[in-house]
Amino acid sequence: MQAVVHLESRKEEEHLALLKAPSKQPKTTTLQVRLEEEVRHNLDKYAEFIDANASYVVSEALKLLFRKDEEFKRWLGQHGNNHNQEQIQGEALTKTA
């Protein structure tokens, strides 16, 4: 008969945020939006999680979306918005560098 021994190693899981807390305050503008209650709750909790405010989380989440959405980048390039396209590409390059 062979005995099987299970050793359980408990490692603390490291939870890393997708967004990082702001390092500097960029120029901003105001936008009023309506959110589902659950989305607003999670937005506030995520902001608390990374020690930032809700505006920062929304801004960074949108930047992430714009960088990752290849179809949007193609569409943006076709609609003559070169300033935003260059900014998105530049941000993507600085994130990967």
Side-chain angles (χ1 to χ4, degrees):
M1 188 184 308
Q2 185 177 7
V4 178
V5 179
H6 293 280
L7 297 176
E8 201 174 308
S9 64
R10 293 186 178 216
K11 293 182 181 178
E12 287 187 34
E13 286 187 32
E14 199 172 313
H15 298 284
L16 299 175
L18 290 176
L19 302 179
K20 304 296 184 225
S23 58
K24 61 180 180 175
Q25 194 68 352
K27 183 178 176 184
T28 61
T29 186
T30 301
L31 170 69
Q32 183 177 355
V33 297
R34 294 185 183 274
L35 301 173
E36 296 173 16
E37 284 185 36
E38 182 181 359
V39 172
R40 176 59 194 254
H41 174 75
N42 286 333
L43 170 60
D44 291 338
K45 287 298 184 184
Y46 197 89
E48 181 182 346
F49 173 64
I50 65 169
D51 193 28
N53 60 42
S55 294
Y56 176 79
V57 173
V58 170
S59 182
E60 292 301 304
L62 288 171
K63 288 179 194 177
L64 178 64
L65 173 68
F66 301 152
R67 278 194 312 272
K68 297 290 183 179
D69 192 327
E70 295 299 324
E71 188 173 341
F72 171 69
K73 288 192 272 188
R74 281 191 299 277
W75 179 89
L76 190 59
Q78 294 171 354
H79 288 80
N81 197 342
N82 293 333
H83 172 72
N84 286 345
Q85 180 68 20
E86 291 169 4
Q87 185 177 7
I88 290 169
Q89 288 175 342
E91 289 173 353
L93 290 176
T94 59
K95 298 292 181 189
T96 58

